[in-house]
Amino acid sequence: MKLLVTGGAGFIGANFVRRTLATRPEAEVTVLDALTYAGSLGTLADIADQVVFVKGDVADEAVVDELVRQSEAVVHFAAETHNDNALVNPGAFVRSNIVGSFVLLEAVRRHGVRLHQVSTDEVYGDLALGEDRRFLEGDAFNPSSPYSASKAGGDLLLRAWVRSFGVEATVSHCTNNFGPWQHVEKFIPRQITNLLVGGSVKVYGDGKHVRDWIHVDDHNDAVWAILDKGEPGRTYHIGAGNEQGNLAVAQLLCELTGADPDRIELVLDRPGHDRRYALDASRLTAELGWSPRKTDFRAALGETVDWYRAHQDWWGAEKSGVEAQYARREHGARG
Ligand code: NAD
Ligand code: TYD
């Protein structure tokens, strides 16, 4: 199969490419990635001879048209993904996440190519702490941040292109991912690397916010289940039913690195910070037979800590710049 993977030099996309090469020797993979601050060729260095890499923007019609024309299926990961950045520069999110999806949808429509779009649980907005409910496919989108609104925008376009033009497309909404190759701006890698360089764990607000964590390999296995057996036009939730409070994750990371929990610091909250995300993913299990495998959170997080310990060459150069950016924002917000 000739597969186009957008955003394949980023966290989830690069893990997807690796897993695809390992499990689907027949796949011919082309990666389209703009190599923003979040993507790097270093992430694909050891498999560079097994993929075709094209540096380009998903919102660039000419590049996308040519690549889609040559493909049998497209898996669309490329996006601006960090909520804290969306509060500073939302325009980049509108362009990559909404215009990018539009350009891809038009290309798959022209060439009759299958598309799977990777989206987030954040399009539904948040739940209250302790509320006995998880989001279901079909719940209304109610995004609270520029990031989640831009992802919801791309997803709404996809629904309309399925209904109006009959494009062969699916979309999945997944919960928060963790695992190797995740940028050090994100919660788990930020705190692991803070601990590894002797810094403190920075938890926003009261630390009681809840996220539903899934290992990136489980996410990518689910994407393959959808590509193999999913019904075009259908939406699938991907989640492992693993809700954790941020403070609890911070404490676990201290334990796993042998750090004193007094290194956890409550810092200024994120504006508009969503309280709780939780998804019901039973459709995917019932219809496509997928279920998560890395369900021992402590063990999987421990493997992730070991990975960051062993790959300082990959994240070390980014670390101080990212922390300086966080410090500037906190300083600016406090005035
Ligand atoms: P990431 O930020 O690590 O990687 C994004 C990649 O996309 C980078 O390589 C970047 O260079 C590339 N990119 C950004 N804008 C582009 C553009 N305009 N054209 C081409 N390439 C561009 O993100 P990630 O965490 O790997 O997320 C991948 C996808 O999964 C996103 O669509 C995201 O919304 C979705 N998702 C992420 C999570 C999570 O927890 N990380 C959870 C659910 C869904
Ligand atoms: P993040 O990894 O940014 O993912 P998302 O905003 O998409 O859920 O953050 C995960 C949770 O951790 C979220 O509740 C915000 C919080 N957080 C912190 O407490 N401290 C941090 O330094 C970061 C980056 C996030």
Side-chain angles (χ1 to χ4, degrees):
M1 178 196 265
K2 290 188 176 163
L3 198 61
L4 176 63
V5 180
T6 73
F11 164 47
I12 307 175
N15 277 287
F16 178 83
V17 171
R18 280 165 195 284
R19 210 150 178 78
T20 299
L21 294 176
T23 57
R24 316 254 165 171
E26 73 287 0
E28 292 174 36
V29 178
T30 297
V31 169
L32 171 65
D33 197 296
L35 296 181
T36 68
Y37 78 94
S40 83
L41 283 180
T43 305
L44 298 172
D46 59 314
I47 49 168
D49 58 342
Q50 296 171 69
V51 299
V52 174
F53 182 82
V54 178
K55 182 171 188 276
D57 193 322
V58 279
D60 181 331
E61 220 179 289
V63 173
V64 168
D65 187 78
E66 181 55 21
L67 292 175
V68 168
R69 192 181 62 77
Q70 297 166 14
S71 306
E72 287 161 281
V74 181
V75 187
H76 180 36
F77 292 97
E80 286 290 340
T81 61
H82 194 38
N83 271 306
D84 292 316
N85 295 340
L87 296 166
V88 178
N89 182 19
F93 288 70
V94 170
R95 180 179 159 80
S96 291
N97 303 358
I98 302 180
V99 180
S101 283
F102 162 72
V103 168
L104 257 183
L105 284 162
E106 283 291 83
V108 298
R109 170 157 91 102
R110 272 192 298 274
H111 299 292
V113 171
R114 166 88 166 90
L115 169 69
H116 180 70
Q117 180 154 293
V118 175
S119 189
T120 166
D121 56 358
E122 301 187 25
V123 296
Y124 298 109
D126 60 351
L127 294 161
L129 290 181
E131 188 181 348
D132 185 21
R133 191 162 77 92
R134 293 183 291 165
F135 289 116
L136 281 161
E137 292 96 346
D139 278 347
F141 289 176
N142 185 25
S144 10
S145 75
Y147 163 63
S148 49
S150 67
K151 290 295 293 184
D155 298 343
L156 288 172
L157 292 178
L158 181 140
R159 289 182 181 180
W161 261 241
V162 167
R163 169 95 182 246
S164 303
F165 304 123
V167 299
E168 207 190 317
T170 41
V171 63
S172 53
H173 299 280
C174 187
T175 59
N176 283 64
N177 284 220
F178 69 99
W181 310 106
Q182 187 170 26
H183 196 275
V184 290
E185 69 187 354
K186 299 294 194 317
F187 180 60
I188 286 180
R190 182 181 185 204
Q191 315 312 344
I192 294 174
T193 53
N194 279 358
L195 287 165
L196 295 180
V197 301
S200 59
V201 175
K202 313 274 193 191
V203 178
Y204 294 162
D206 59 13
K208 291 181 184 157
H209 301 80
V210 169
R211 296 295 183 265
D212 189 350
W213 292 100
I214 187 171
H215 192 275
V216 63
D217 286 346
D218 283 329
H219 180 181
N220 283 328
D221 284 350
V223 170
W224 264 115
I226 296 165
L227 282 170
D228 283 339
K229 297 176 275 184
E231 191 186 313
R234 208 148 169 77
T235 295
Y236 297 92
H237 282 177
I238 305 174
N242 176 36
E243 290 182 56
Q244 305 280 344
N246 290 345
L247 260 182
V249 176
Q251 274 152 4
L252 191 48
L253 290 174
C254 288
E255 267 175 59
L256 290 166
T257 53
D260 195 315
D262 71 4
R263 282 168 69 184
I264 298 173
E265 193 188 333
L266 293 179
V267 299
L268 190 71
D269 207 354
R270 170 188 285 169
H273 193 176
D274 279 342
R275 258 299 169 191
R276 172 179 163 241
Y277 301 137
L279 280 191
D280 182 322
S282 46
R283 169 182 286 178
L284 193 64
T285 304
E287 294 183 9
L288 306 186
W290 170 90
S291 53
R293 286 192 278 195
K294 294 211 163 182
T295 49
D296 181 338
F297 185 53
R298 187 192 177 89
L301 206 54
E303 279 174 26
T304 306
V305 169
D306 291 344
W307 189 90
Y308 279 90
R309 219 191 275 284
H311 290 80
Q312 190 153 359
D313 56 332
W314 180 76
W315 57 263
E318 296 285 310
K319 180 69 187 165
S320 57
V322 167
E323 287 307 314
Q325 207 170 17
Y326 275 121
R328 272 197 303 276
R329 278 181 207 166
E330 184 150 4
H331 186 71
R334 287 191 193 280

